[in-house]
């Protein structure tokens, strides 16, 4: 025997339908918003990384042009005979003036074949110094003279002078050796000058006067200046940027540990940074290692946005690798945490979810109330009226008005059906019909044997009465038949027929 099917109340069905519709719509809106927001985040991150790479590339281009222009200015001054490399007073004045005119530069220096050295250094915005190393060939010893000045409008103010022993020989320096082995100017990376072991980049070239080699002119930019420039860039809210060379050494970075390494005259490798000390640089190293094949196949200078990188802590980062058009083959790496972009989006999403939840609840309540008023209540009343018809209680049926045309038409049809059934009460006993309907008995030809009590009733003298009264006999007959019919109906009797004149 098959189990009966479970039935759901109309109000419950309407509530579930409305709830499902509103929640599905809200979920679809949220998913669409979330997908669009994340796609926009990726696009914005790419644009921001591109802007940062362009800014750094522009800065390096300025440094390159300024270094070349300063080198050419010094060379021209010497070649034109305005001063000689041995003219100490004028040499210091020229070097200092050029150094102050170029804020990006750290050193302007000159090295002699004897191993001696002279340079003007910008230590800070408030301090410049002249450094000279003179070798004694007999004693094989060198002495370093350091004159310190405080820059002031017009002429710098002398602070003090000091002398110290030195082992600095310009012939041992990479920038000097590279220039000596080249027929043109060269770029090199070095680790400092006398008394100051700061890593930097050097632009150097040989100086010839009247066909005779005199020495090497050098212009230097300490890498700490690049790091300070990078520290001023806005890389998201908590992101970072670094410049690395082809060997994976960190050239410049706003990372605090980088400043310590620069002060110690050391270079750090990107793949060897401490994740606890430099977490974002460690992320950059991991992203570059994970996409090594992609980067090795990239030959142009256009930025390469790497796929979003998920670190060990589960956070997602946007990493961009940008080759730079610079002689030393540098690359720019930017790292921006996804949360920098999603923080506001998440807050807005959370706010939107609360608003959407409130709106959803309000819409559900409004829809439920509206559906109940328009559909639920009228259908329930119509179902109740149909049960009256089912029970043949036609006198209890009433019209159910509804603003919906279909329900209003259904109620009108139900009333017409009830009126039509009422006329059958004149010919069929009401209780008999109720019994047939309640017991599900179909009225069809046939039957069965049963003991019945049959009553035949007659009106004595009806023929002569009708002849005498004519049409006036109808009211009299109606009174009789109504009373007799009511009496029979009270006893659950069935009137088979009325016959007569």
């Amino acid at each position: 025997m098959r189990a009966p099917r479970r039935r759901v109340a109309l109000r419950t069905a309407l509530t579930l339908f409305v709830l499902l519709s509103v929640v599905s719509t809200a979920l679809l809106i949220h998913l669409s918003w979330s997908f669009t927001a994340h796609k926009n985040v990726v696009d914005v991150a790419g644009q921001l990384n591109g802007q940062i790479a362009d800014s750094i590339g522009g800065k390096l281009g300025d440094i390159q042009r300024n270094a070349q222009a300063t080198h050419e200015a010094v060379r021209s001054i010497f070649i034109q005979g305005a001063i000689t490399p041995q003219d100490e007073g004028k040499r210091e004045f020229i070097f200092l003036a050029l150094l102050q005119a170029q804020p990006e530069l750290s050193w302007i220096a000159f090295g002699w074949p004897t191993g001696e050295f002279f340079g003007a250094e910008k230590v800070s915005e408030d301090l410049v110094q002249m450094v000279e190393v003179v070798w004694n060939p007999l004693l094989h010893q060198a002495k370093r003279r350091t004159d310190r000045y405080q820059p002031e409008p017009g002429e710098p103010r002398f602070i003090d002078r000091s002398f110290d022993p030195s082992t600095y020989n310009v012939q041992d320096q990479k920038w000097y050796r590279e220039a000596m082995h080249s027929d043109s100017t060269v770029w090199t990376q070095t680790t400092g000058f006398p008394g100051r072991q700061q890593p930097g980049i050097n632009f150097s070239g040989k100086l010839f006067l009247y066909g005779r080699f005199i020495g090497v002119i050098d212009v230097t930019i300490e890498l700490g200046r690049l790091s300070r420039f990078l520290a001023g860039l806005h890389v998201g809210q908590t992101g970072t940027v670094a410049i690395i060379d082809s060997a994976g050494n960190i050239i410049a970075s706003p990372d605090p540990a980088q400043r310590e390494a620069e002060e110690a005259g050391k270079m750090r490798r990107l793949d060897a940074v401490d994740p606890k000390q430099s977490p974002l640089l460690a992320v950059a190293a991991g992203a570059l290692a994970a996409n090594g094949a992609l980067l090795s196949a990239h030959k142009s200078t256009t930025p390469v946005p790497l796929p979003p990188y998920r670190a060990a802590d589960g956070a997602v980062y946007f990493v961009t690798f940008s080759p730079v058009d610079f002689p030393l083959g540098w690359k720019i790496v930017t790292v921006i945490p996804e949360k920098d972009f999603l923080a506001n989006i998440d807050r807005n999403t959370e706010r939107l979810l609360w608003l959407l939840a409130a709106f959803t609840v309000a819409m559900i309540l409004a829809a439920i109330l509206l559906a109940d008023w328009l559909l639920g209540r009228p259908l329930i009343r119509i179902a109740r009226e149909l049960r009256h018809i089912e029970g043949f209680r036609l006198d209890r049926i009433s019209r159910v008005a509804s603003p919906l045309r279909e329900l209003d038409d259904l109620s009108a049809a139900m009333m017409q059906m009830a009126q039509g059934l009422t006329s059958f009460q004149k010919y069929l006993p009401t209780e008999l019909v109720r019994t047939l309907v309640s017991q599900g008995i179909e009225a069809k030809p046939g039957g069965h044997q049963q003991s019945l009590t049959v009553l035949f009733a007659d009106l004595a003298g009806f023929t002569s009465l009708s002849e005498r009264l004519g049409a006036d006999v109808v009211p009299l007959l109606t009174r009789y038949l109504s009373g007799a019919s009511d009496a029979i109906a009270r006893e659950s009797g069935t009137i088979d027929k009325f016959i007569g004149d």
Side-chain angles (χ1 to χ4, degrees):
M1 181 177 180
R2 191 172 62 180
R5 293 170 55 185
R6 296 183 62 183
R7 296 183 299 175
V8 180
L10 178 62
R11 280 194 176 99
T12 303
L14 288 175
T15 301
L16 292 176
F17 174 74
V18 172
L19 179 63
L20 181 62
S21 300
V22 176
V23 171
S24 300
T25 303
L27 183 61
L28 180 62
I29 294 174
H30 173 67
L31 292 177
S32 301
W33 156 262
S34 180
F35 174 78
T36 304
H38 280 76
K39 185 177 184 301
N40 290 338
V41 164
V42 174
D43 294 340
V44 170
Q47 294 175 7
L48 178 58
N49 286 326
Q51 293 173 359
I52 293 171
D54 291 342
S55 177
I56 297 174
K59 181 67 173 180
L60 294 177
D62 291 340
I63 289 175
Q64 183 177 354
R65 288 187 292 271
N66 292 339
Q68 293 170 343
T70 302
H71 183 279
E72 181 61 26
V74 174
R75 192 182 73 87
S76 297
I77 289 172
F78 286 152
I79 290 178
Q80 296 299 326
I83 63 171
T84 63
Q86 290 76 22
D87 191 341
E88 178 180 334
K90 293 181 179 179
R91 181 186 63 199
E92 291 187 358
F93 175 79
I94 293 297
F95 279 23
L96 181 59
L98 291 173
L99 191 65
Q100 288 181 307
Q102 300 292 351
E104 294 88 359
L105 305 184
S106 302
W107 282 87
I108 300 175
F110 190 85
W112 283 268
T114 59
E116 295 181 343
F117 168 87
F118 172 77
E121 179 194 13
K122 182 186 295 181
V123 180
S124 65
E125 299 302 322
D126 299 325
L127 179 64
V128 294
Q129 59 187 20
M130 303 295 175
V131 180
E132 183 178 33
V133 177
V134 179
W135 276 88
N136 186 329
L138 297 178
L139 299 177
H140 301 286
Q141 294 178 350
K143 181 179 294 186
R144 184 180 76 236
R145 172 180 62 86
T146 304
D147 294 345
R148 300 197 307 161
Y149 295 85
Q150 181 177 350
E152 291 184 355
E155 185 176 351
R157 182 173 63 85
F158 177 78
I159 299 176
D160 58 27
R161 170 176 290 184
S162 62
F163 292 91
D164 300 284
S166 177
T167 60
Y168 187 87
N169 190 323
V170 74
Q171 293 180 322
D172 298 331
Q173 306 308 310
K174 184 179 180 180
W175 58 268
Y176 187 92
R177 295 197 312 270
E178 293 289 334
M180 288 293 296
H181 290 88
S182 177
D183 294 331
S184 61
T185 53
V186 293
W187 283 94
T188 55
Q189 294 178 203
T190 59
T191 56
F193 286 99
R196 186 170 172 84
Q197 296 300 311
Q198 281 262 344
I201 53 174
N202 304 71
F203 183 73
S204 54
K206 292 182 287 189
L207 173 66
F208 290 89
L209 291 178
Y210 307 110
R212 184 169 64 90
F213 172 69
I214 303 300
V216 175
I217 304 171
D218 177 78
V219 178
T220 300
I221 300 95
E222 291 181 349
L223 299 183
R225 292 187 176 274
L226 287 176
S227 295
R228 288 191 289 274
F229 169 75
L230 297 183
L233 295 178
H234 182 70
V235 188
Q237 295 181 0
T238 60
T240 192
V241 60
I243 301 175
I244 61 174
D245 62 15
S246 56
N249 296 312
I250 302 176
I251 299 300
S253 168
D255 189 69
Q258 181 69 17
R259 191 174 302 112
E260 297 176 6
E262 290 168 352
E263 291 295 337
K266 299 178 181 179
M267 297 287 288
R268 295 195 302 162
R269 288 188 57 82
L270 182 64
D271 55 5
V273 296
D274 185 355
K276 295 181 179 179
Q277 189 179 37
S278 306
L280 292 180
L281 293 181
V283 168
L288 294 180
N291 295 275
L294 173 63
L295 298 177
S296 61
H298 188 77
K299 303 301 181 183
S300 68
T301 57
T302 56
V304 184
L306 303 181
Y309 179 75
R310 187 175 296 276
D313 60 356
V316 177
Y317 297 85
F318 297 110
V319 181
T320 299
F321 176 84
S322 304
V324 182
D325 186 14
F326 195 72
L328 295 174
W330 289 352
K331 289 89 177 174
I332 301 170
V333 180
T334 56
V335 182
I336 306 177
E338 185 186 45
K339 65 180 182 180
D340 283 7
F341 298 99
L342 293 182
N344 291 332
I345 293 178
D346 288 342
R347 283 195 295 270
N348 291 335
T349 301
E350 183 179 359
R351 189 180 299 114
L352 177 63
L353 285 176
W354 282 109
L355 292 175
L356 193 60
F359 174 76
T360 301
V361 171
M363 288 298 297
I364 289 174
L365 293 177
I368 290 174
L369 293 176
L370 184 62
D372 187 63
W373 176 62
L374 289 177
L375 293 173
R377 293 181 184 179
L379 286 176
I380 290 173
R381 289 183 60 190
I382 290 175
R384 190 181 300 122
E385 300 303 319
L386 287 174
R387 291 193 188 96
H388 290 325
I389 294 178
E390 181 183 13
F392 221 64
R393 295 183 291 273
L394 304 180
D395 55 325
R396 300 183 184 180
I397 299 175
S398 60
R399 175 74 180 272
V400 179
S402 173
L404 297 180
R405 183 178 61 187
E406 290 79 5
L407 293 182
D408 197 64
D409 292 345
L410 176 62
S411 180
M414 181 185 66
M415 289 298 299
Q416 292 177 359
M417 180 178 64
Q419 292 173 1
L421 291 174
T422 301
S423 62
F424 284 95
Q425 287 182 323
K426 301 176 181 178
Y427 309 103
L428 294 175
T430 301
E431 292 301 325
L432 175 62
V433 175
R434 288 174 182 167
T435 301
L436 294 176
V437 173
S438 62
Q439 296 181 4
I441 300 174
E442 182 182 358
K444 60 183 180 180
H448 60 276
Q449 292 184 357
Q450 188 173 349
S451 297
L452 299 176
T453 299
V454 181
L455 171 66
F456 297 90
D458 185 32
L459 287 175
F462 178 73
T463 301
S464 59
L465 182 64
S466 62
E467 291 175 352
R468 187 172 63 252
L469 297 178
D472 292 336
V473 76
V474 174
L476 179 63
L477 181 62
T478 299
R479 288 175 56 192
Y480 168 74
L481 292 179
S482 296
S485 297
D486 292 340
I488 295 172
R490 283 195 300 272
E491 299 299 328
S492 302
T494 299
I495 300 175
D496 180 63
K497 63 176 68 69
F498 296 103
I499 60 175
D501 295 334

